[in-house]
Amino acid sequence: MKDKKSTARSVVIYIIELLAIIVASQLVFTKVIRPVSIIGSSMYPTVADQDIALINVIGLKESELKRFDVVIIDWKQNNENIIKRLIGFPGDHIKFVNDELYINGVLYEEDYLDRDYVARAKASRGVSQFTADFEYIVPEGQYFVLGDNRLNSADSRTIGCFSFNDFIGKEGVVIYPFNHFNWIK
């Protein structure tokens, strides 16, 4: 009789532990970090198509957003999450002229772009500019984002700006494939 009680108790404890692990995992993977599968090449070579990344989603605060952060956005109109680089804040005047980025009249170096890739992409497409000239004033309460692969990116130039409430997280790490392991900043 004691063996049956002991076995039953062990099973109950096992089920409770298993449920605790499931609940804890669910909380970690929705409130702390979020696994994201990268679809498309709009951020190449920062992240590649089919990369799997873990993105920081804990405590994202609007006051902690920095220009050029890599962010994950809930693009509600297309029912998908997208990864882009944060370029413009509410009220900013964004201007590209001859592949040079001006924000509020100040020239910014885009050091995060891979210059060799930019040159190869322009040559393969037969174009002289990686980012076509444009000018845009970011509406109040909105943020302007661009993909790092400007020749192949649906971003704020075409799909519009996003509010802070659309942001899911920022930065992270590519974990798969293993040879792509890299911090996303």
Side-chain angles (χ1 to χ4, degrees), residues 36-53 80-81 83 117 149 152 174-180 184:
V36 174
S37 178
I38 308 302
I39 299 170
S41 61
S42 72
M43 282 295 289
Y44 187 83
T46 304
V47 291
D49 186 31
Q50 303 302 312
D51 279 356
I52 296 175
E80 65 180 286
N81 295 334
I83 182 169
Y117 175 75
N149 188 1
N152 190 30
V174 174
I175 59 169
Y176 186 82
F178 301 122
N179 63 334
H180 288 191
I184 305 169

Side-chain angles (χ1 to χ4, degrees), residues 15-110:
I15 290 171
I16 291 170
E17 289 173 344
L18 185 61
L19 288 173
I21 290 170
I22 291 169
V23 168
S25 297
Q26 180 67 20
L27 287 173
V28 166
F29 286 115
T30 59
K31 303 296 183 194
V32 179
I33 57 174
R34 182 174 292 177
V36 174
S37 178
I38 308 302
I39 299 170
S41 61
S42 72
M43 282 295 289
Y44 187 83
T46 304
V47 291
D49 186 31
Q50 303 302 312
D51 279 356
I52 296 175
L54 296 176
I55 302 300
N56 176 20
V57 297
I58 192 167
L60 182 63
K61 294 183 178 110
E62 194 166 11
S63 62
E64 294 175 357
L65 290 175
K66 296 185 297 279
R67 193 175 312 281
F68 308 128
D69 278 346
V70 174
V71 294
I72 304 298
I73 302 165
D74 179 11
W75 183 18
K76 291 173 180 66
Q77 292 84 344
N78 227 33
N79 199 28
E80 65 180 286
N81 295 334
I82 57 175
I83 182 169
K84 301 293 174 193
R85 192 168 299 276
L86 177 57
I87 303 294
F89 285 77
D92 280 350
H93 179 209
I94 309 294
K95 184 176 183 180
F96 263 92
V97 178
N98 297 322
D99 271 343
E100 292 184 328
L101 169 62
Y102 294 87
I103 303 173
N104 301 321
V106 176
L107 175 65
Y108 281 81
E109 290 295 321
E110 294 186 277

Side-chain angles (χ1 to χ4, degrees), residues 88-147:
F89 285 77
D92 280 350
H93 179 209
I94 309 294
K95 184 176 183 180
F96 263 92
V97 178
N98 297 322
D99 271 343
E100 292 184 328
L101 169 62
Y102 294 87
I103 303 173
N104 301 321
V106 176
L107 175 65
Y108 281 81
E109 290 295 321
E110 294 186 277
D111 296 332
Y112 47 83
L113 294 179
D114 181 324
R115 295 292 166 205
D116 292 334
Y117 175 75
V118 169
R120 286 192 315 272
K122 289 191 316 189
S124 72
R125 295 270 181 104
V127 296
S128 61
Q129 290 180 244
F130 190 62
T131 308
D133 291 352
F134 73 90
E135 197 165 343
Y136 189 84
I137 296 177
V138 183
E140 287 303 319
Q142 300 287 300
Y143 292 87
F144 188 92
V145 296
L146 290 174

